[in-house]
Amino acid sequence: DAGVIQSPRHEVTEMGQEVTLRCKPISGHDYLFWYRQTMMRGLELLIYFNNNVPIDDSGMPEDRFSAKMPNASFSTLKIQPSEPRDSAVYFCASSFRTGWGNEQFFGPGTRLTVL
Amino acid sequence: AQTVTQSQPEMSVQEAETVTLSCTYDTSENNYYLFWYKQPPSRQMILVIRQEAYKQQNATENRFSVNFQKAAKSFSLKISDSQLGDTAMYFCALTEGGKLIFGQGTELSVKP
């Protein structure tokens, strides 16, 4: 298996633009997580899905952020409009049958820079 | 709220020596899991070791072992025979339902 795939690996955009980050989880995994990593706040969970259904989006910072999972093999995280404070590395992770004791497999991350 | 604290922002160790990274946590759950993840400069997050709270035996994975003290809510990582490839950020994490709560990380440098 190719592991969790994220695209793009790097994104540079200007303030006010729409940004879409993409994730393909490992085949057969039924949980998908979006994390954000910054120097100030560390690694924080934004939202997670189970069987394509959003379970907990309490970490989504504000209405500018939205996430979808239209099918078991694809998810997007959208920021509209983007702001400089959104600059961070965004990770997607997937796991099989919850993250309780099962390993979450992380993608390589997308480094987002908002100018 | 559940929290994870890593009090050592940076550490260094000589190659082939042993180093211990500290982690404390707080949770009201009785059953939970703890993890150590490694993030090398490539920024890929890699699971190092996991511990189930209801198991008293400390987990071991080759050169990596943990000292799990449930009553003290402490979960330290010991790396034996340190190698240059162990240079990375190390994150301690606690499960909360299906979510992982991460500590702030410890940056470990292994020196030749």
Side-chain angles (χ1 to χ4, degrees):
Chain A
D1 199 317
V4 176
I5 299 172
Q6 290 188 248
S7 64
R9 292 294 305 275
H10 303 274
E11 177 79 29
V12 180
T13 190
E14 293 188 347
M15 183 174 63
Q17 297 297 307
E18 178 180 295
V19 175
T20 299
L21 310 181
R22 297 173 176 79
C23 175
K24 176 179 169 56
I26 293 173
S27 178
H29 283 190
D30 53 353
Y31 279 77
L32 183 138
F33 307 81
W34 282 101
Y35 291 90
R36 179 172 67 176
Q37 184 176 31
T38 61
M39 288 295 292
M40 291 298 295
R41 299 176 66 88
L43 269 160
E44 52 183 347
L45 178 70
L46 300 177
I47 185 171
Y48 78 94
F49 297 82
N50 175 220
N51 291 323
N52 315 335
V53 176
I55 302 301
D56 185 342
D57 64 354
S58 60
M60 296 286 264
E62 49 198 273
D63 292 345
R64 296 184 299 106
F65 285 69
S66 63
K68 294 182 179 180
M69 192 165 185
N71 57 62
S73 58
F74 184 66
S75 177
T76 60
L77 178 67
K78 185 176 294 186
I79 308 172
Q80 166 65 17
S82 58
E83 297 182 2
R85 60 191 168 123
D86 302 329
S87 296
V89 178
Y90 291 81
F91 287 100
C92 176
S94 70
S95 71
F96 179 60
R97 288 185 184 167
T98 87
W100 272 103
N102 291 346
E103 177 180 357
Q104 291 188 19
F105 292 83
F106 284 74
T110 295
R111 180 177 294 279
L112 173 65
T113 302
V114 183
L115 303 174
Chain B
Q2 295 178 324
T3 59
V4 178
T5 303
Q6 293 178 249
S7 58
Q8 305 152 314
E10 298 177 354
M11 293 191 72
S12 65
V13 63
Q14 291 296 130
E15 193 176 10
E17 293 189 347
T18 296
V19 64
T20 298
L21 309 183
S22 301
C23 174
T24 58
Y25 61 93
D26 189 24
T27 179
S28 57
E29 301 290 330
N30 191 46
N31 189 23
Y32 48 90
Y33 289 80
L34 292 156
F35 302 81
W36 280 97
Y37 275 85
K38 167 185 176 181
Q39 187 178 39
S42 66
R43 83 170 180 237
Q44 180 70 50
M45 294 288 288
I46 303 164
L47 178 66
V48 175
I49 199 166
R50 87 190 83 186
Q51 175 78 41
E52 300 170 63
Y54 65 87
K55 286 189 176 180
Q56 293 187 343
Q57 186 174 6
N58 290 324
T60 299
E61 289 285 344
N62 300 313
R63 297 183 295 108
F64 299 87
S65 61
V66 299
N67 183 5
F68 175 48
Q69 301 290 327
K70 190 172 183 179
K73 295 183 178 176
S74 170
F75 183 61
S76 61
L77 174 69
K78 185 172 82 170
I79 305 174
S80 304
D81 186 24
S82 298
Q83 300 176 359
L84 297 178
D86 295 333
T87 292
M89 281 288 287
Y90 286 81
F91 293 95
C92 179
L94 166 71
T95 52
E96 179 187 70
K99 307 186 293 187
L100 281 175
I101 308 299
F102 286 92
Q104 287 296 100
T106 295
E107 185 172 4
L108 176 67
S109 297
V110 180
K111 301 185 183 303

